Amino acid sequence: MTTPKTSSDDETTVVPYPEQGVIRQEFEGGFLFCKCPEDHPSLIQVGKGEGEGEKDNAGDDDDDDKILVYFTITLEDKKLHLFPQALINFVSRIVIGHMWDMFLRVAEEVKDGERPQHSAAIEEKRGVLYDWVEERIHAMFERLKESKE
């Protein structure tokens, strides 16, 4: 992921140029998906009933692997000093977590058929993006199965 680029051609501009006096912070970021270790602090907290994650059903002995998702972001530090530390802390500690929760909520609604426009957009881009993502997910789960055997 990178900061969306601006364009001088109004018909193709995805992100408009910033207004005079506004500074745009460039970034690069991405997601890393890996098997969640059994001793990860979030799993331990959920097991004690302290975490916010989804708890296993009582009496359910299902041994499903959990996936740990890392989100990384790199900011262009020559502009970073312009942001107050309190704002940086708020965004990194609060906003990103809430955005992730919202993302997961939308994903669940798409899965449950409650967002037909999202489903249509996914189908439209299936050949250029979503098929590749599904292949990568399938390959990751296959490697997890093989590592257990």
Side-chain angles (χ1 to χ4, degrees), residues 74-133:
T74 304
L75 301 172
E76 190 178 298
D77 61 2
K78 61 185 172 187
K79 295 179 186 173
L80 200 55
H81 72 280
L82 300 172
F83 294 93
Q85 187 64 44
L87 178 62
I88 294 169
N89 291 344
F90 176 72
V91 169
S92 63
R93 296 178 184 168
I94 305 295
V95 173
I96 291 174
H98 284 290
M99 288 173 53
W100 181 252
D101 289 342
M102 290 170 57
F103 173 76
L104 293 177
R105 193 172 308 120
V106 169
E108 286 288 327
E109 290 171 356
V110 169
K111 183 183 88 171
D112 295 340
E114 298 170 15
R115 291 191 175 246
Q117 290 178 322
H118 280 74
S119 296
I122 289 169
E123 286 306 313
E124 186 177 303
K125 296 178 183 175
R126 179 152 298 285
V128 295
L129 175 63
Y130 292 97
D131 287 341
W132 179 84
V133 170

Side-chain angles (χ1 to χ4, degrees), residues 29-100:
F31 292 94
L32 172 65
F33 299 89
C34 59
K35 181 178 179 179
C36 186
E38 293 178 12
D39 62 346
H40 191 276
S42 294
L43 291 178
I44 294 167
Q45 288 177 345
V46 169
K48 294 178 182 175
E50 298 172 8
E52 295 180 16
E54 190 174 304
K55 297 180 182 126
D56 289 335
N57 295 330
D60 187 6
D61 290 334
D62 98 276
D63 209 12
D64 290 342
D65 289 319
K66 305 290 188 251
I67 297 176
L68 185 58
V69 180
Y70 289 99
F71 175 70
T72 61
I73 187 167
T74 304
L75 301 172
E76 190 178 298
D77 61 2
K78 61 185 172 187
K79 295 179 186 173
L80 200 55
H81 72 280
L82 300 172
F83 294 93
Q85 187 64 44
L87 178 62
I88 294 169
N89 291 344
F90 176 72
V91 169
S92 63
R93 296 178 184 168
I94 305 295
V95 173
I96 291 174
H98 284 290
M99 288 173 53
W100 181 252

